[in-house]
């Protein structure tokens, strides 16, 4: 259980894969935690189901105005456009890096590790992702594995990663476990 813990979900203004946002969000709530949606702009974010627009969700906080010190963990949902946008925003990259510097758990799924590459936090770590990221991750110094979920504690924090929406059940459980440790 993660009663009393607040978990940041960092997403771009549009392009997040909806199920990769909503399923971990529910898992955090069901475990007693409080999820908060962080983006780089105020207002609402536009989620997607692959390439089709899906739901919109209200932003709770803006990266650059909050810090990792206000949270107990971080979830980085995927979607191709989402992490590609985030890795180009210095305030988002800095926010991600703060969790590693503070030793706080981070969970990233699908294409989300692109933001981790930009934050330069994967060197020496073992993780998984959507298969098309494996070369990027290896070039950034990570060991890439093709597994449903990978939990890496060989660094300053616990890093939980998964490949795709089909892995969400295992991803959500491993993330909640990491947040509760």
């Amino acid at each position: 259980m993660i009663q009393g813990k607040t978990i940041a979900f960092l997403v771009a203004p549009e392009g997040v894969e909806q199920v990769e946002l909503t399923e971990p969000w529910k898992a955090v709530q069901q475990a007693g935690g409080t999820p908060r949606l962080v983006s780089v702009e105020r207002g609402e974010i536009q989620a997607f189901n692959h390439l089709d627009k899906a739901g919109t969700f209200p932003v709770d906080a803006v990266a650059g105005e909050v810090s990792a010190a206000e949270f107990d963990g971080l979830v980085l949902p995927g979607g191709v456009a989402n992490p590609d946008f985030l890795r180009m925003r210095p305030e988002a990259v800095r926010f991600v890096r703060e969790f590693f510097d503070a030793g706080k758990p981070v969970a990233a799924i699908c294409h989300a590790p692109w933001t981790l590459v930009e934050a330069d936090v994967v060197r020496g770590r073992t993780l998984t992702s959507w298969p098309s990221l494996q070369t990027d991750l290896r070039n950034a110094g990570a060991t890439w594995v093709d597994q449903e979920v990978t939990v890496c504690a060989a660094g300053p924090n616990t890093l939980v990663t998964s490949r795709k929406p089909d892995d969400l059940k295992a991803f959500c459980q491993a993330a909640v476990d990491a947040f509760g440790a």
Side-chain angles (χ1 to χ4, degrees):
M1 297 299 285
I2 56 175
Q3 194 72 34
K5 295 194 176 190
T6 303
I7 308 301
F9 282 70
L10 178 64
V11 299
E14 67 176 18
V16 67
E17 186 69 28
Q18 183 164 307
V19 70
E20 293 175 5
L21 169 62
T22 58
E23 290 303 305
W25 187 280
K26 286 183 216 169
V28 165
Q29 287 179 319
Q30 289 170 353
T34 302
R36 290 194 62 215
L37 190 62
V38 179
S39 191
V40 294
E41 297 174 7
R42 297 182 196 293
E44 292 185 329
I45 62 102
Q46 175 67 63
F48 280 74
N49 289 326
H50 303 293
L51 300 176
D52 299 322
K53 284 186 176 182
T56 59
F57 300 88
V59 172
D60 296 314
V62 177
E65 297 177 8
V66 292
S67 73
E70 299 171 51
F71 301 94
D72 299 294
L74 173 66
V75 174
L76 295 170
V80 177
N82 178 50
D84 192 50
F85 181 91
L86 290 175
R87 66 185 179 159
M88 299 303 293
R89 296 294 294 260
E91 68 273 31
V93 173
R94 187 172 34 256
F95 185 65
V96 169
R97 193 177 303 115
E98 287 176 359
F99 283 86
F100 287 80
D101 292 346
K104 295 182 178 186
V106 173
I109 188 167
C110 202
H111 288 81
W114 264 339
T115 309
L116 300 178
V117 168
E118 194 64 33
D120 194 24
V121 294
V122 298
R123 191 172 322 281
R125 307 300 295 267
T126 299
L127 61 157
T128 192
S129 67
W130 185 255
S132 65
L133 275 66
Q134 63 182 294
T135 300
D136 297 330
L137 289 164
R138 286 182 180 130
N139 287 343
T143 299
W144 186 86
V145 294
D146 184 11
Q147 294 177 186
E148 179 180 52
V149 66
T150 300
V151 178
C152 179
N157 65 339
T158 300
L159 176 60
V160 177
T161 54
S162 283
R163 303 168 299 188
K164 57 190 174 186
D166 289 347
D167 299 338
L168 276 165
K169 184 175 182 182
F171 176 73
C172 291
Q173 184 60 58
V176 166
D177 289 348
F179 298 144

